[in-house]
Every structure is written in C-alpha cells, then in structure tokens.
Amino acid sequence: MPKSKASSDAADSSAQEQRRLQMVDIARLAGVSVSTVSRALNGSELVNAQTRERVAELARSLNYSINLGARNLRLQENRTVAVVVPYDAASRQHISDPFFLSLVGSIADALTDRGYDMLLSRVDAERLDLASRWFDSGKAIGVVLIGQWRHHDQLNEMAARKLPLVVWGGEMPQQLYCSVGGDNVLGGTLATRHLLQLGRRRIAFVGDADLPEVWLRRQGYAQALREAGVAVDPRWEVAAPFEPGVATGVLQAFCAAERGFDAVVCCSDVLALLTIQALRASGRSVPGEVAVIGYDDMPLAAYCDPPLTTVHQPVAEAGAELVEALLGQLRGERAGPRTLPVYLKLRQSAPGTAA
C-alpha cells in the first residue's frame, strides 16, 4: 500500500513539474514572468487583454490547458456557457442580423430554463479557434458557436482538444465536432422544386457557397435542377455575403447586368429582401417577372412587400438542441451531429401550392 501511494505521489509530482516547465516555456516565449502567465491563464484582469490573448495562443500551441472549466463543473461553481458569434472583419457584420439575434435569443431561453448563464461574445471569423479562450480561462464550462464559416479545420482542432463545443451549422465530411443545424440540402431542394413547379426554369442562386451551410443549400438547389433536366448556369450563381452593406451592391450589379433569370433562391431572408429591392430598381416585378424565395422564415418575412415565401428553420427548437448537445458532452456523452427538419412557408413572393 505505501508503495502504491508513493507511486501515485511521484506521478502527481511529475505531472506538476511538467506543467511548471510548460508555464516556463510560455513565459519565455511571451516575454513575461511565470506569475503573469498564471494570471493570464486564469483570466485575471490584472493582465491586459493583449497579453492574455498572446499567452492563451502560446498555451494552445503547446497543448497546455489549465482546464478550470472541468474543475469548476465538478465543484458546481460555474454555470456559464459562452455563446460566440463570428463576424467578418472586413464587413463587420453585426450581431443584430435577424437570424443571429433570433438564434441567440433561443439559446438564452434554453440556458435560463436549465439554470445556466450566458456569456455572449464575438470572434473574427478567420480565427474561430479564439472561441476556446472562454473555456481555457475557466470563465465558461463550454462553447456554443454560431456558424462554421470557412474554417472547418479550426473547429476540428478544438474538438480534438476535447473542448466542450457545439456549432450551429451543417454536417460536413470528416467532422469531429458536434453540429446542430437545419437540413440545408433539403431546404435548397424544396425551394428550387417549388420554383420549377411554378414553371420557372432559369433559377438564380444567391449566397456565398464557400460557407458550409450555403454550400449544402446549393447542393440541394443543383440536385433539384438536375432532377428536372435543367442545367446549372454559373452566370446565375451570386456569391453575395450575408452582410447587407456588402450584399446590396453585389445584388444591384447582378440584377442590372443579368436579365435572363426568372426566379431566385436566396440563402437568407435578408438577402431575399435585398434581391427584391435590386430587382425593382432594375425595373422588374416580383413575383410577376421574377419569383423570389428566402431562407430562415424570420418574423419580418411575413410583413415585407410582397410577403416572402421562405424555407422555415426551427429556431425556437434549435436553442434547446444546441444546449442539450453541449450539456450532454459535459456529462461525458458522445455528441453526434443533429439535423433539424425544415419546410417551405408559402407566401406571395413565390405563390403556389407546396409539393
């Protein structure tokens, strides 16, 4: 028995020494003291934000984590979840985007109902890995990230570190992290099939297919066209971002230059409204000359002119699914991707009967 305890003590001592050596390395590389590294990793406000971020970056590169999140969970001291909304640094997309705002509200409701707090934050969409700092510092027990953006690899790296993480988005190949999202392929298919049933054959697609969810919606769009024997025309694929300030100019230029399309599938309701404005500015009527379908079914969709036909996403249910998936990970459960059903909500911008 004494020998076993001695072995255990030796192992603990070795682990502590390894962690001390790692902290020394981090301090040397960051050009600060070991005590500053310790404070930075614990999220102390005595260390400025720039230094805390530099130390956290070095800690990640050395696979060093103080894992205060797990300790606090065991002690039931921390019931805070970080909800992180990426933004495009060039366009400064606002968190007030209707879809983001609705989804964040849904997550907040689900956390409140379960007795948890929400820490709302933003990260540059090019540095999604920075979302991990809230867990690494012990300020949050896990992270809900709104959107995959273009860095699927960074999300996989966070999952490989065993970071409690759930992402709103579509299921992608070689995915290690847990995602919750609407059935994007089905959404793109339903919208395009409906337009084809209305007799529209020259259907444009609006959305940046470099983004995973949009790429999946485009897959559904192309699938429906192929089923109908209609070729995908690259002239009518418009890589408009979700940010209205940038998308407005892109859509106005497209509608002014291209006259051959008779319908549009848009990857958000805001993009659909901007498309309708651009069409009218170019002298074309909706839905008479061009039928338009949006995506998300935000409350504003029912009140625009004309009321918008759109793919309904279950935003209210999404918050609960995201939170349950994260809490499941914290309980030690394996969290696979979850795909939520979508359906087409018919209104006047593309009237008709559902398939």
Side-chain angles (χ1 to χ4, degrees), residues 233-300:
D233 192 330
R235 294 177 304 164
W236 297 335
E237 294 190 54
V238 189
F242 286 120
E243 203 283 312
V246 179
T248 296
V250 172
L251 291 166
Q252 287 177 344
F254 171 71
C255 291
E258 293 289 340
R259 308 289 295 186
F261 62 96
D262 59 9
V264 188
V265 173
C266 299
C267 283
S268 78
D269 290 343
V270 171
L271 286 175
L273 298 183
L274 295 175
T275 298
I276 291 172
Q277 291 177 358
L279 286 166
R280 285 176 172 161
S282 68
R284 305 185 74 186
S285 65
V286 177
E289 294 177 72
V290 183
V292 176
I293 294 182
Y295 210 106
D296 294 331
D297 195 19
M298 294 292 94
L300 60 87

Side-chain angles (χ1 to χ4, degrees), residues 306-323:
L308 189 63
T309 292
T310 182
V311 177
H312 176 89
Q313 294 216 82
V315 174
E317 296 86 347
E321 289 286 345
L322 287 160
V323 170

Side-chain angles (χ1 to χ4, degrees), residues 43-339:
S44 171
E45 298 297 331
L46 296 175
V47 182
N48 67 56
Q50 184 178 2
T51 300
R52 289 200 306 270
E53 185 170 321
R54 186 166 73 253
V55 167
E57 179 71 19
L58 289 167
R60 281 191 291 271
S61 71
L62 294 171
N63 291 321
Y64 179 95
S65 174
I66 55 177
N67 204 14
L68 277 181
R71 180 181 68 84
N72 285 338
L73 181 62
R74 288 195 298 273
L75 297 177
Q76 296 186 338
E77 294 174 356
N78 188 344
R79 295 181 68 82
T80 299
V81 170
V83 177
V84 181
V85 182
Y87 67 94
D88 185 292
S91 66
R92 302 293 296 183
Q93 182 180 29
H94 295 299
I95 200 170
S96 56
D97 176 280
F99 179 75
F100 285 160
L101 197 59
S102 296
L103 189 54
V104 167
S106 173
I107 295 167
D109 289 343
L111 288 170
T112 300
D113 290 346
R114 291 157 180 78
Y116 288 83
D117 298 317
M118 182 175 78
L119 187 161
L120 183 61
S121 180
R122 304 176 77 197
V123 294
D124 185 332
E126 296 301 311
R127 292 297 312 276
L128 297 181
D129 55 321
L130 293 179
S132 66
R133 68 179 183 265
W134 302 115
F135 176 77
D136 291 337
S137 69
K139 291 183 178 179
I141 57 175
V143 176
V144 176
L145 189 70
I146 311 299
Q148 294 150 300
W149 295 81
R150 296 177 178 84
H151 290 289
H152 179 63
D153 54 333
Q154 293 179 13
L155 301 178
N156 273 341
E157 288 170 8
M158 286 193 282
R161 289 180 49 215
K162 307 301 182 185
L163 175 79
L165 170 71
V166 179
V167 180
W168 170 264
E171 182 179 355
M172 300 293 289
Q174 289 82 50
Q175 179 173 305
L176 301 179
Y177 55 92
C178 173
S179 63
V180 174
D183 191 334
N184 293 287
V185 174
L186 177 61
T189 302
L190 290 175
T192 309
R193 281 179 182 166
H194 179 67
L195 293 170
L196 288 164
Q197 288 167 358
L198 295 179
R200 314 288 175 142
R201 307 288 288 180
R202 303 180 302 280
I203 303 172
F205 181 88
V206 171
D208 182 358
D210 284 341
L211 302 176
E213 284 186 286
V214 176
W215 178 76
L216 291 168
R217 292 168 194 176
R218 189 205 168 275
Q219 296 291 95
Y221 158 83
Q223 176 182 313
L225 289 179
R226 286 194 300 269
E227 288 173 353
V230 177
V232 175
D233 192 330
R235 294 177 304 164
W236 297 335
E237 294 190 54
V238 189
F242 286 120
E243 203 283 312
V246 179
T248 296
V250 172
L251 291 166
Q252 287 177 344
F254 171 71
C255 291
E258 293 289 340
R259 308 289 295 186
F261 62 96
D262 59 9
V264 188
V265 173
C266 299
C267 283
S268 78
D269 290 343
V270 171
L271 286 175
L273 298 183
L274 295 175
T275 298
I276 291 172
Q277 291 177 358
L279 286 166
R280 285 176 172 161
S282 68
R284 305 185 74 186
S285 65
V286 177
E289 294 177 72
V290 183
V292 176
I293 294 182
Y295 210 106
D296 294 331
D297 195 19
M298 294 292 94
L300 60 87
Y303 301 106
C304 60
D305 179 26
L308 189 63
T309 292
T310 182
V311 177
H312 176 89
Q313 294 216 82
V315 174
E317 296 86 347
E321 289 286 345
L322 287 160
V323 170
E324 281 303 315
L326 182 66
L327 298 182
Q329 289 182 47
L330 295 173
R331 293 190 295 266
E333 300 168 6
R334 185 181 180 282
R338 307 184 185 190
T339 300

